Amino acid sequence: MGLFHFLRRKKQHLPFSWEPTMPVLTTPSDEVGVDARRRRPDVPYLLPYDEQERQRLDFQHFLLRLVLSGNCFAPVHDLLCRGGNVLDVGCGTGKWGQELATAYPKAHVAGFDVEDMQRTASPLLNYQFYQGNILNGLPFASHTFDYVHQRLLVAGIPLDTWPWVVAELRRVTRPGGWIELVEMGTTFHHVGPATQQWIAWWRAISALRGIDASKMSQIGLLLKQAGLWNIRAETKTLPVGSWGGRIGKLLAQDMLSGWPRTRPLAQTWLGVPAEAFERVMSQLETEWNSYHTSYELYLACGQVGSHE
Ligand SMILES: C[S@@+](CC[C@H](N)C(=O)[O-])C[C@H]1O[C@@H](n2cnc3c(N)ncnc32)[C@H](O)[C@@H]1O
């Protein structure tokens, strides 16, 4: 028996305390965009899904871990040392959850995403992936998880759906458990004309899907409105460009890898000529360094009341 089958068999006997309560999704037949990268036709999510995007997400994960000096903003270290069920919604390649599962071997971590990005089964026995669409609800029973983490789903959740999504995160969280949201918006400081232009295109593209990243500074308020307590919210202003040292360089690299892939949407949805788009892209890096551009990252966590 191959190692893969052995691990799969072992997984089936894990004492996981949750099982999907609805059928799991599968990846639909490939829908290739004009940039030859696949986007799903069945969700509003704006970013493509391919090998290059998987690499960008892993790169971005390491950048965020550096910015946060760790993987968790919520005060969950003691809880995870004892064990506990963790859910990572929109887990992408699964790096965050797999690192958590490694650091806290008594915890059980579930990654959930509309795409099966993991590609290979995780060798970790305390990490499991579930495929599904958060906008259809989470396939888990109420009060299943002690810690629910959702990072960078802004490009996939229409603004008016956010309260419903947070209510769904809360439903699956146990009394006394924590919810953590990490998001990026469209707030930059010290911006030049090329950056302003790209932000305007991105806002217009997003608006066509009901998405509004400019409201992500409100994620702490969203948790409050969902009835959570012990809320902690923080805005980190990060440098963009080599003027800002290591973090600045890494964030610029992340943006220079991600932003050009909005070109097909700008072209087909907004009618932006390819040359105009490329001209803006080519000016960004120099502009960030001469303006000393910075960018806001939002972190928020809160606890579900223990008497619910
Ligand atoms: C920008 S990536 C962030 C991935 C991961 N959270 C991270 O920080 O590395 C957004 C992820 O959300 C997933 N996603 C988008 N819309 C979704 C939906 N409706 N339901 C579940 N996952 C979704 C995408 O497939 C993608 O993996």
Side-chain angles (χ1 to χ4, degrees), residues 17 22 25 61 67 84 105 116 118 138 140 149 165-166 177 183 204 212 221 287 290 293 305:
S17 54
M22 48 172 100
L25 260 188
H61 164 73
V67 168
D116 184 359
Q118 335 264 318
L138 290 165
F140 304 108
H149 172 262
V165 167
V166 174
E183 283 301 344
D212 184 353
L221 189 62
E287 190 175 281
S290 57
T293 301

Side-chain angles (χ1 to χ4, degrees), residues 61-62 64-73 96 99 151:
H61 164 73
F62 294 119
L64 291 172
R65 197 181 58 190
L66 185 69
V67 168
L68 265 76
S69 305
N71 273 322
C72 306
F73 180 63
W96 182 91
E99 284 186 9
R151 187 172 77 180

